[in-house]
Amino acid sequence: MHRGGRESRRIIVVELDGVPRGYVTFRRNLSWEPTGPRGQVSAGEVVALDAAAARALWGALLDLDLTNEVSPFILPVDDVITQLLVNLRAAAPRTPDNLWVRLVDVPAALAGRQYAADVDVTLAVTDSRLPANAGVYRLQAEAFGPASVERVDPEFEAPELSLDVRELGAAYLGGKSLATLATAGLVTVHPRPGQGPGVLARASTAFGWPVAPGASWVF
């Protein structure tokens, strides 16, 4: 069914031995100019469980007949297509603003995620909108294991890093490093006597994550 030249939403499913390994939803807008076909493909969700499924899905999208442009909706910045394309610049990627994090319960949020490395760090967090959220917290976690967070008295346990809840939210999903924020003056390091440098590097590594955060939905 066509609506103003635009097809109804379709779906492609990739299977291996009858088991689904990925899918993509898309619409096509068919158009023919004097110079030839100018069809456009608008992709929605592109989900793949492995490299072979991702290659098959993107190959199917890019090979659709009578089209010359494929526009994915929203993808993580490290999506597999960024590596499959021979010339990423020719695709003219853009970075939209579609993912925000606001921590309203700092200890619960920090204890509720995993960390990419062992970490034991004390954070001084400010929060002008939620004063009860502000405080000094000691975060302890094993790499990809459980984490614990407790509020501590700064008179007895001085913070090693100071930051606002805004910067903590930016680093929470692993897409922005604490080290980068510190370079911009948004995270302050308080090295403890005798501890030596490295607390920022260790915390930044722990807060990182193997894949970039992304939201494929508009909310």
Side-chain angles (χ1 to χ4, degrees):
M1 179 178 180
H2 297 260
R3 297 176 181 176
R6 192 181 190 191
E7 294 181 343
S8 300
R9 186 179 301 276
R10 298 188 177 191
I11 184 170
I12 296 174
V13 178
V14 173
E15 297 182 349
L16 177 63
D17 297 329
V19 179
R21 301 297 297 171
Y23 71 92
V24 57
T25 61
F26 67 97
R27 293 181 187 270
R28 290 196 302 173
N29 191 350
L30 303 180
S31 177
W32 192 282
E33 304 294 336
T35 54
R38 301 287 295 177
Q40 297 179 329
V41 177
S42 299
E45 297 180 50
V46 186
V47 179
L49 297 181
D50 51 52
R55 177 63 182 84
L57 288 174
W58 283 111
L61 284 176
L62 296 173
D63 290 340
L64 287 171
D65 195 21
L66 303 180
T67 60
N68 74 320
E69 181 179 319
V70 177
S71 300
F73 179 51
I74 298 176
L75 301 172
V77 295
D78 62 348
D79 188 87
V80 65
I81 190 62
T82 63
Q83 304 302 316
L84 291 175
L85 291 175
V86 175
N87 184 1
L88 180 60
R89 291 185 180 89
R94 299 182 302 275
T95 304
D97 186 11
N98 190 52
L99 182 60
W100 305 269
V101 174
R102 210 298 180 192
L103 304 185
V104 296
D105 187 336
V106 167
L110 292 180
R113 62 157 288 180
Q114 291 186 327
Y115 297 84
D118 293 352
V119 62
D120 185 351
V121 63
T122 305
L123 307 170
V125 181
T126 56
D127 190 336
S128 60
R129 290 187 177 273
L130 295 174
N133 208 26
V136 178
Y137 302 94
R138 184 176 182 183
L139 165 65
Q140 296 176 292
E142 299 177 356
F144 302 103
S148 64
V149 180
E150 63 175 335
R151 187 186 289 264
V152 298
D153 189 334
E155 293 188 5
F156 299 99
E157 190 162 352
E160 296 166 283
L161 301 177
S162 297
L163 71 169
D164 189 73
V165 71
R166 183 183 65 176
E167 280 63 56
L168 188 58
Y172 184 72
L173 298 181
K176 183 79 68 175
S177 77
L178 291 174
T180 297
L181 295 169
T183 301
L186 300 173
V187 175
T188 303
V189 183
H190 311 281
R192 293 177 177 175
Q195 186 182 47
V199 61
L200 176 62
R202 292 192 296 272
S204 187
T205 299
F207 270 84
W209 202 249
V211 297
S216 60
W217 293 86
V218 174
F219 56 93

